[in-house]
Amino acid sequence: MRLEAQEISVRFGALAALASVSLDVQSGERRALIGPNGAGKTTLFNVIAGELRPAAGSVLLDGRDVTSLPTWRRARLSLGRTFQRSALFPRLSVGENLELAVRRGALVGRRRAVPERLEAAGLSAVAERPASSLGHGEQRALEIELALACEPRLLLLDEPMAGLSGAERQAALERLRNLPRSVTLVIVEHDIDAVFAIAERITVLDHGVKIADGTPAEVRADPRVQEVYLGRP
Amino acid sequence: MPAVLLAVLISLPFWTPSRYWVSVAIQALILAVFAMSLDLLLGFGGMPSFGHAAFYGMGAYACGKLFPQLTGAGLLAFLVAGMAAGVIAALPIGALAVRARGIYFLMLTLAFAQMVWGLAFQWTSFTGGTEGMSGIPQAVPDWLQEQGQNLWPALRTAGPFYVVALTVAVLAFAGLTAITRSPFGRALEGIRENEGRMRALGYPTYRYRLAAFVIAAAFAGLAGATTALYNGYANPSQLYWHTSGLVLIAVIVGGTRSLLGAVLGAFFVTIVQLVISSYTEHWQLLLGAVFIAVVLFLPGGFISLGRLGWLKR
């Protein structure tokens, strides 16, 4: 699914969280969105997903203007997302968590998909446990699987690797790299190695402004990016 | 556990020492239906309503207003009228109230319910004002009135309305159990746990919350209709915030997120209210003390004692 965010502006009081930021992600592309804390990455995700109405600009999914659609309608258009801080259903079991995800807002059917989702996320052994009892790594795996269980065609990943150990990081990276090309990925991540391992193009935000947009090699070579984010070599 | 409770209730007219205890049980069963309906909102939906009496009272007033027309139509017509009245009141109130969360939702439901109470209190020509409406028949079906005692001799002392109250409570329990275990009920719990995530998964959470509000109001209306039939009157106290508070206490003391907990809470509150009050005027003090103790030391309510017991085995 193609994602176009056109000249998005968001203000929080006097702060310009996003100043006319545009993003054009082709169908099937792997795009990374990087920048220091407070650059506006999560804010942009919230605008794309429908949680935040921008002061100006529009969001298009496959060319369709969805700016005025609520979050749940965009989700039903196959937009999935994960959250920076795990957004699980703490008192429900892991299986029940995934059951809500595979139903995708509908009230009928699709329950049979739960066991294979548990398997894919490596969570079969803890299916009956409440989500709140999982360790951090398992919670992150469930966080990603909740989004994948909806079979999105556009997936927004907000720091999926945050706080993971080396092995967990590798597993998560594998899971993302093995996603079919029918899924468009936009990933916000501070782990630069992961970013360069996945992304085909990188967009760099700083203080709500887009300062670079290009291939990993171009972005790595960009002097402004080096200055604000990557640090001088 | 539900089977044991049901056995106790069915056999109650046989071993109860007097008709008085049957009347206590009837009132407890009615409060149980009311409390289960609130638990759908509070326990499963995470919506703490402090105005649930509005729909209970609407159910009672519907019976009071319509009994000249409904008497010929029988018991079921009264109960359906009570549920319909709950739904009609809940649609506009819910449409506004479920936009708010937590304490704001609580205050809004309280405000709306007090408006309904104010209307009933002051619109004397339509509602009977302070007096309310009386003379509502029990509408016990003829076959139960005539044949019931032959089938179940204990009803000679207990009175046939006990069968009505028990049947309504059992059906409400079955209906609400089915709802809470359905995909709708599961989605409601998802919204309680994390509404933002539910939106991101494609659930129109506002509609789900409103649907839960309306369903809860329908069952509250059913309880209200049952109490109007049993007592023969509808009056503003059924709409007053005291009533909303009492049912809220019943659910919290019994245990939220469990329909059986709501039933236990309803029995406890009724016994304290009716039985203890005949020994001391300070029954509210006892109720308050138990409420505080439960909130502080047993947040899962009475029902969680049973769960602890299971764990120890």
Side-chain angles (χ1 to χ4, degrees):
Chain A
M1 179 185 269
R2 182 176 178 191
L3 162 69
E4 293 160 274
Q6 298 173 337
E7 299 180 3
I8 303 288
S9 293
V10 172
R11 303 193 64 87
F12 296 133
L15 174 78
L18 288 174
S20 200
V21 171
S22 295
L23 196 65
D24 188 347
V25 184
Q26 299 301 314
S27 187
E29 193 181 320
R30 272 80 178 109
R31 173 73 62 102
L33 196 56
I34 65 172
N37 287 325
K41 306 178 297 282
T42 298
T43 303
L44 185 55
F45 268 14
N46 284 336
V47 169
I48 296 168
E51 284 295 300
L52 199 60
R53 199 60 69 83
S58 39
V59 177
L60 281 70
L61 298 179
D62 274 343
R64 176 180 171 186
D65 190 332
V66 299
T67 318
S68 58
L69 290 188
T71 304
W72 66 272
R73 281 212 183 278
R74 297 187 202 192
R76 289 193 178 182
L77 291 171
S78 301
L79 189 164
R81 75 174 297 191
T82 70
F83 294 79
Q84 195 174 344
R85 295 177 60 184
S86 293
L88 310 174
F89 306 109
R91 284 187 285 186
L92 303 187
S93 75
V94 173
E96 288 168 339
N97 269 261
L98 284 166
E99 195 182 316
L100 286 171
V102 296
R103 282 216 175 92
R104 275 179 275 174
L107 287 181
V108 286
R110 297 200 186 109
R111 229 177 128 173
R112 275 168 299 167
V114 172
E116 59 190 79
R117 286 294 162 187
L118 287 165
E119 185 73 37
L123 294 170
S124 302
V126 294
E128 304 297 325
R129 280 173 45 189
S132 59
S133 74
L134 300 183
H136 179 75
E138 289 169 324
Q139 291 204 1
R140 291 311 284 175
L142 180 57
E143 172 69 33
I144 293 175
E145 205 57 36
L146 282 180
L148 290 176
C150 297
E151 298 181 348
R153 290 190 296 129
L154 168 62
L155 179 56
L156 310 177
L157 294 155
D158 200 347
E159 296 193 32
M161 314 282 176
L164 295 186
S165 70
E168 290 165 345
R169 201 169 279 249
Q170 277 308 314
L173 203 56
E174 273 313 293
R175 185 97 182 90
L176 296 179
R177 283 164 72 114
N178 289 336
L179 289 178
R181 283 282 159 176
S182 55
V183 187
T184 309
L185 279 187
V186 182
I187 178 169
V188 165
E189 184 53 65
H190 283 303
D191 177 346
I192 284 303
D193 295 333
V195 166
F196 283 104
I198 295 177
E200 294 153 350
R201 289 184 71 85
I202 298 176
T203 301
V204 188
L205 293 182
D206 183 34
H207 289 99
V209 180
K210 185 164 85 173
I211 60 168
D213 195 336
T215 64
E218 287 166 359
V219 167
R220 211 192 281 265
D222 189 304
R224 277 189 74 189
V225 175
Q226 291 181 357
E227 190 179 322
V228 305
Y229 192 57
L230 295 174
R232 290 177 191 283
Chain B
M1 179 82 172
V4 173
L5 189 63
L6 187 61
V8 169
L9 287 169
I10 287 178
S11 65
L12 182 106
F14 291 98
W15 50 262
T16 181
S18 73
R19 197 166 173 154
Y20 168 72
W21 288 99
V22 176
S23 96
V24 171
I26 289 173
Q27 293 176 70
L29 285 167
I30 294 170
L31 185 61
V33 174
F34 189 21
M36 287 191 286
S37 77
L38 179 61
D39 197 20
L40 179 71
L41 272 188
L42 175 68
F44 293 88
M47 292 181 263
S49 172
F50 201 171
H52 210 44
F55 313 111
Y56 178 76
M58 285 293 291
Y61 271 83
C63 292
K65 199 68 197 168
L66 296 173
F67 81 80
Q69 291 83 8
L70 290 180
T71 303
L75 175 69
L76 200 60
F78 280 101
L79 300 180
V80 170
M83 294 182 88
V87 168
I88 289 167
L91 279 169
I93 292 176
L96 295 169
V98 305
R99 291 177 190 280
R101 313 277 186 282
I103 188 79
Y104 301 101
F105 175 80
L106 185 142
M107 296 307 290
L108 270 179
T109 48
L110 173 61
F112 280 122
Q114 286 302 92
M115 281 165 63
V116 174
W117 171 80
L119 209 61
F121 195 70
Q122 293 184 328
W123 191 4
T124 310
S125 60
F126 188 76
T127 63
T130 1
E131 299 295 313
M133 293 177 275
S134 54
I136 303 167
Q138 288 203 341
V140 174
D142 289 341
W143 61 267
L144 182 61
Q145 195 86 331
E146 289 156 12
Q147 303 298 322
Q149 297 177 5
N150 300 335
L151 296 171
W152 195 4
L155 286 184
R156 214 160 290 156
T157 45
F161 200 84
Y162 184 69
V163 179
V164 174
L166 185 55
T167 309
V168 166
V170 168
L171 291 179
F173 181 80
L176 285 165
T177 301
I179 289 169
T180 54
R181 290 185 184 170
S182 73
F184 171 80
R186 195 52 58 70
L188 203 56
E189 290 198 81
I191 292 168
R192 176 196 70 211
E193 295 289 298
N194 195 331
E195 188 172 355
R197 187 59 183 249
M198 287 297 275
R199 283 196 297 269
L201 293 177
Y203 289 85
T205 57
Y206 171 75
R207 292 180 195 176
Y208 275 77
R209 288 160 56 89
L210 180 57
F213 194 83
V214 170
I215 293 169
F219 281 94
L222 175 66
T226 316
T227 199
L229 294 176
Y230 178 61
N231 293 309
Y233 62 81
N235 73 21
S237 76
Q238 292 159 340
L239 293 159
Y240 201 50
W241 70 266
H242 284 175
T243 305
S244 298
L246 203 66
V247 70
L248 202 52
I249 289 173
V251 175
I252 293 170
V253 165
T256 56
R257 296 211 289 149
S258 159
L259 295 174
L260 208 54
V263 174
L264 292 181
F267 271 82
F268 175 76
V269 166
T270 306
I271 287 167
V272 170
Q273 190 186 12
L274 296 179
V275 182
I276 309 294
S277 68
S278 60
Y279 297 102
T280 165
E281 287 172 25
H282 304 303
W283 63 274
Q284 288 180 321
L285 200 64
L286 174 69
L287 193 60
V290 171
F291 179 74
I292 291 167
V294 167
V295 168
L296 290 179
F297 304 115
L298 194 66
F302 294 159
I303 194 78
S304 62
L305 285 173
R307 290 195 196 116
L308 287 176
W310 281 111
L311 281 179
K312 278 176 193 158
R313 268 183 236 176

